[in-house]
Amino acid sequence: MKIPLKWLNKYVKLPSKTSVLTEALTLAGHMLDKTEKVNGDDVVDLELRGNRADCYCLIGIAREVSALFDTPVKLPESYKSLLKKSNLKEVSLQINSSFVNRAMMVVIKNVQIKQSPDWLKKPIQAYGIDSINNIVDLTNFVMLETGQPMHAFDLDKIGNHLEIRKAVENEKVTTFLGKTVTLNKEDLVWANKREVLSIAGSIGEKYHSISESTKNVLLEAASYDRANIRRTIYRHNLLTDAGLRHEKELDPNIVEKGVYRFLYLVDKNNWGQIDPHVFDYYPKPVKPWTVNLNYDYLETLGGLKLDTNKVKNILNRLSFKIKKESNNGLEVICPTFRTDVTLEEDLIEEILRIEGYDNIPTRTLSLEIPSYVTPEYISQEQELKLAATEVGLDEIITSSFVNEKYQEFNKNMEHPNASPVKIVNRPSQDTEILRTTLLANLLEVTQKVINERGTAAQFFEIGKIYFKQKTHYEEKRKLGLISWSKDSEVFAKFKGLLESLLTKTNIENLTFDNQQINNPKLINTYSISLEKTIFGLGGEFGNIFYCEIDLDLLLGKAQNPTAQLWPNFPPQIEDITLSVRTNTKVGDVLSLIKNTKYVADVQLIDTYEGYYTFRIWYQHPSKTLTDKEVEKSRKSLLHLIKQRFRAIIKE
Amino acid sequence: MREEIINIKNLAIGRITDVTDTHELESIRIEYLGRKGKINELLKSIEKVPIEERKEIGRLINETKQTIKIVIENKLANSKPKTKTSFDPTIPGIKPKLGHLHPTTIVINEMFEIFKHLGFSIMEGPEIETDQYNFEKLNLPKDHPARSLQDVLYIEEPEVLLRSHTSSVESRALENLKPPFRIAVAGKSFRYEKVNASNNVMFYQFQGVALQKGISMADLKGTLYYFVKSFFGKHRKIRFRCKYYPEVEPGGGLDVDCPFCKQLGCAVCKGRGWLEILGCGMIHPNILKNFGHSPKKITGFAFGMGLDRIVMDKFKIKDIRSLYNGDIKY
């Protein structure tokens, strides 16, 4: 809120340096946004706290300054002659909603509508409200001064019977600012028998408001259920200066303060004759309430020990009253405008912020250290990320949404029946559908590389994917791996990359099998499993290799790392070359060889026109193998290979 | 015989020391150590030595052999191959492919590391959340004014949504963990935003929660100061001020001095001289009660910060969108 300092100075003495004032306000919760000059006067713009309805006015800020600098507040003068509470003879008001906490009306006759004098015009202009005429300006002036929004009707145009009611669905009203609003049946309005006169809490209708020709005025000020007003304001985008205040927890007692201040200024300036009756609907008057303060709790929560006299002094400066006092604490009476203070903790914050957060000591959690409860999968994820960079992959973080262009790739690979999750209030087409796979976005990034950036792309992403199955929503942590190279990439290289990466995190002995998967765009698809559980799926698109690993499933599959030593006894190494039928899986041949007695290791070292060359290590951990032993082992494995795979051994 | 051996040895060492050419060194080696070399000839002539001296002479010959061998090896090791005149050290190096972590991950890891020192564990929570965990249980009832600061993306209005802050994980922690605990959370959050260089629908937050008997504002302040000094540098100025958040009471905000303008005021800090880093406070008593804790018996603090701004400042990235669209060049 913009605070013209010259105006503020009328209610409280200000420090001579503006920066001293704004620094104090900032530390106490009202952060300085910016300082500006309007017509030569300093105006400070403060970011006020949403729970401090009482601060959205000059008096409210003056109270804060008063508490911070321990200097008195000078409240503005109010209309002295007390009005008689009764129904008004000119106009009645029926209230048909529990959302009205208080409503006051008073009639002012023979009003002189004219241009506002400078004392009225300048302050509201400095705040940022245009001047219209003296009566309208005065409603704004008093609102800015006291925090109570009010509205002036042309008494001769509104008829004799008013009501505050909920709008009829699709009822229309054109506001003072010329905007036509189609109302909802939850919106609260002021209306006469024929039409809506104003939208309660935010804005009036034009015809019934004050004009040049207005002779008699009906002034109303009210207090409503803030939640209802707030819904209306956001539904119709009507965040006016009145609405800004009504959507917060205003004190109904300031309705009266605002009205009497308004009347005082009308009377003082001879702008009209005040009718001696006031209509005041106030079914449940709000009285000051008490909150207890325990000194020990203040110390526990605040982390500092304060002298009790200091505590009392701070509370007094903030207009709290001490009702009772004991050795342990205080019973404190809250002024009704402090709608934000209802709990002991609220009171403690009040004391701390006036004492100053600067005076709170800094302790680096000197308490006992609680147990370490980081779940294993989180550390595993961190290890995986590091391992991925070690094998040369770059980490990408992409959006959780898939844009329109890449929707065709947004298919959950495991669950054909899973549907993507959609946002009902999407900000744009590209932020509507959540990803059901990491493929779509990683592919988009990779294609950027292919089209314009380079000759190779090797990326990984670890993140959530989302989908809906029947009625429940699921999110799963996935590792996506994508690789492309201008020089034709081979699957074996990609597979090796994944294997190396997982070995780094102590996951070994993966099995790869052909597998149909739910993505029509991918060819050469396969599954990746460990101990017979499938935890990953992959495939190829163009020359791009992709696979996706389910990290939730992989959790806990890591072996404890063991150090391996070079064996003490020499191996016998032999290469064998064989040709197998086209449907034979090399993996099966490898596992057969591997399972032969004395074979310590086997590698595929070459493939050429249907011939595969394997290098075999015969080795024993505790002795040197004899030629005889190796020969026996060799014979048995060649025999099995011939038998099982119909392989031809090249001698 | 003995003298002859010693002479051979000394001569050999002298020649080896003086030699400058590797070819010449090789011919010396052959001359002494070769199959028909001087050492072997000495060994052959050992028959002529009286039997009682043979053992001693044999030892001496072997020692000579070893010495010459070692001197040659050392000479070889120390001899400097001639520099090729065409050698060009300005030739570009052929770099092995290195992988890189994403800047956001780097910052998250760094922060986790700092909070681990303070006894924090790491926790995660769902991104698809319910209104209950995202708002209601956190003292943000429906129609609360603070909700207008967080326009939510709904999956099913009004109950199922994408979490609008990582505070939802605070709900989960308070529900599932037995105090005392200290947890740190980093993750994605989502809000209805008009996308531009500084706002994105998806963004990252970092959150901390501690619940333990005896925790006070002083612990909160100490923890945050330790973090700020560790992460942003020990000479940074810190401003700790009162601020309102429905999730905390008392509430606070923490700013650090703007490094871009030395607090003179610039576009980055909007002329304020300070950068808002995080919001914090003591866990609101209503929240503690929501999860079955008595505010008089146990207290806790919570803090939360936006990560993207911090990542962008650290890595000099101007547009938030480039963090998450693959535009970062490694």
Side-chain angles (χ1 to χ4, degrees), chain A residues 23 26-33 47 49-51 226-227 230-231 234 247-248 294 297 299-303 343-346 348-349 352-353 357-375 377-378 381-382 385-386 388-401 421-427 431 434-435 445 448 453 458-461 463-464 466 468 471 473-475 477, chain B residues 97-102 104-105 109 112 116-129 142-148 152-157 160 162 177 180-183 188 190-193 195 201-202 204 210 212-223 225-226 239-244 248-253 255 270 272 274 276 282 284-286 289 295-296 299 301 323-327 330:
Chain A
E23 182 69 7
T26 296
L27 291 175
H30 314 293
M31 191 176 77
L32 175 70
D33 186 13
E47 269 186 19
R49 305 163 66 190
N51 62 337
R226 70 161 182 81
R230 188 185 133 75
R231 285 192 287 264
Y234 283 90
E247 71 141 5
K248 296 177 179 77
N294 178 290
Y297 191 46
E299 193 184 337
T300 307
L301 211 56
L343 302 171
E344 188 171 2
E345 290 81 0
D346 299 330
I348 291 173
E349 182 183 83
L352 292 178
R353 72 184 183 94
Y357 278 20
D358 280 347
N359 292 335
I360 297 172
T362 54
R363 280 205 298 264
T364 316
L365 277 170
S366 47
L367 305 157
E368 187 194 335
I369 292 178
S371 43
Y372 186 66
V373 292
T374 304
Y377 67 84
I378 290 179
E381 188 179 303
Q382 289 178 335
K385 283 189 177 183
L386 273 182
T389 61
E390 284 171 9
V391 299
L393 294 160
D394 289 326
E395 186 187 14
I396 300 280
I397 298 176
T398 66
S399 170
S400 289
F401 300 93
V421 180
K422 280 189 185 179
I423 301 301
V424 291
N425 57 334
R426 62 170 197 192
T431 44
L434 289 169
R435 61 188 186 192
V445 173
K448 268 193 203 174
R453 290 179 181 168
Q458 286 190 324
F459 300 129
F460 78 98
E461 174 166 15
K464 296 272 183 73
Y466 322 80
K468 191 180 182 184
T471 53
Y473 297 96
E474 288 209 36
E475 53 187 273
R477 289 172 336 115
Chain B
K97 172 84 176 73
L98 291 178
H100 302 84
L101 288 175
H102 190 276
T104 303
T105 302
N109 286 351
F112 276 155
K116 272 191 202 168
H117 291 307
L118 296 168
F120 280 73
S121 296
I122 305 171
M123 188 171 167
E124 275 187 11
E127 291 169 21
I128 296 177
E129 262 297 1
K142 292 200 170 61
D143 299 309
H144 193 287
R147 280 206 182 189
S148 53
V152 170
L153 295 181
Y154 284 104
I155 291 164
E156 276 176 29
E157 219 165 349
V160 187
L162 286 177
L177 299 181
F181 65 77
R182 295 174 198 166
I183 55 139
K188 288 177 176 177
F190 304 84
R191 287 181 198 171
Y192 193 108
E193 290 279 358
V195 175
V201 170
M202 180 189 94
Y204 270 77
Q212 188 166 14
K213 190 176 164 56
I215 281 189
S216 71
M217 287 284 276
D219 294 301
L220 170 63
K221 196 174 163 184
T223 302
Y225 276 47
Y226 180 89
R239 186 167 78 173
F240 188 47
R241 60 192 161 86
C242 180
K243 199 175 179 200
Y244 169 66
V248 287
E249 190 70 45
D255 310 330
K270 294 176 195 150
R272 293 167 181 169
W274 293 95
E276 292 186 77
M282 303 303 292
H284 198 282
N286 291 350
K289 283 183 212 153
K296 284 285 164 97
T299 49
F301 66 65
L323 278 174
Y324 306 119
N325 66 1
D327 274 358
Y330 290 107

Side-chain angles (χ1 to χ4, degrees), chain A residues 474-489:
Chain A
E474 288 209 36
E475 53 187 273
K476 286 184 175 291
R477 289 172 336 115
K478 295 279 187 181
L479 160 68
L481 221 65
I482 199 159
S483 178
W484 167 82
S485 165
K486 200 169 185 181
D487 318 316
S488 76
E489 182 96 336

Side-chain angles (χ1 to χ4, degrees), chain B residues 105-226:
Chain B
T105 302
I106 293 171
V107 167
I108 290 172
N109 286 351
E110 204 175 318
M111 289 185 177
F112 276 155
E113 203 53 44
I114 294 166
F115 282 102
K116 272 191 202 168
H117 291 307
L118 296 168
F120 280 73
S121 296
I122 305 171
M123 188 171 167
E124 275 187 11
E127 291 169 21
I128 296 177
E129 262 297 1
T130 58
D131 188 82
Q132 282 287 316
Y133 288 95
N134 196 68
F135 288 132
E136 289 283 340
K137 283 172 185 277
L138 292 170
N139 202 34
L140 277 150
K142 292 200 170 61
D143 299 309
H144 193 287
R147 280 206 182 189
S148 53
L149 299 173
Q150 299 191 14
D151 271 338
V152 170
L153 295 181
Y154 284 104
I155 291 164
E156 276 176 29
E157 219 165 349
E159 199 46 42
V160 187
L161 44 82
L162 286 177
R163 70 179 179 205
S164 59
H165 48 190
T166 42
S167 305
S168 60
V169 188
E170 179 183 337
S171 306
R172 301 278 171 181
L174 286 165
E175 185 167 270
N176 299 324
L177 299 181
K178 241 182 94 175
F181 65 77
R182 295 174 198 166
I183 55 139
V185 179
K188 288 177 176 177
S189 304
F190 304 84
R191 287 181 198 171
Y192 193 108
E193 290 279 358
K194 224 182 197 147
V195 175
N196 57 37
S198 35
N199 293 298
N200 209 0
V201 170
M202 180 189 94
F203 56 96
Y204 270 77
Q205 278 199 333
F206 193 96
Q207 187 95 15
V209 188
L211 185 68
Q212 188 166 14
K213 190 176 164 56
I215 281 189
S216 71
M217 287 284 276
D219 294 301
L220 170 63
K221 196 174 163 184
T223 302
L224 295 177
Y225 276 47
Y226 180 89

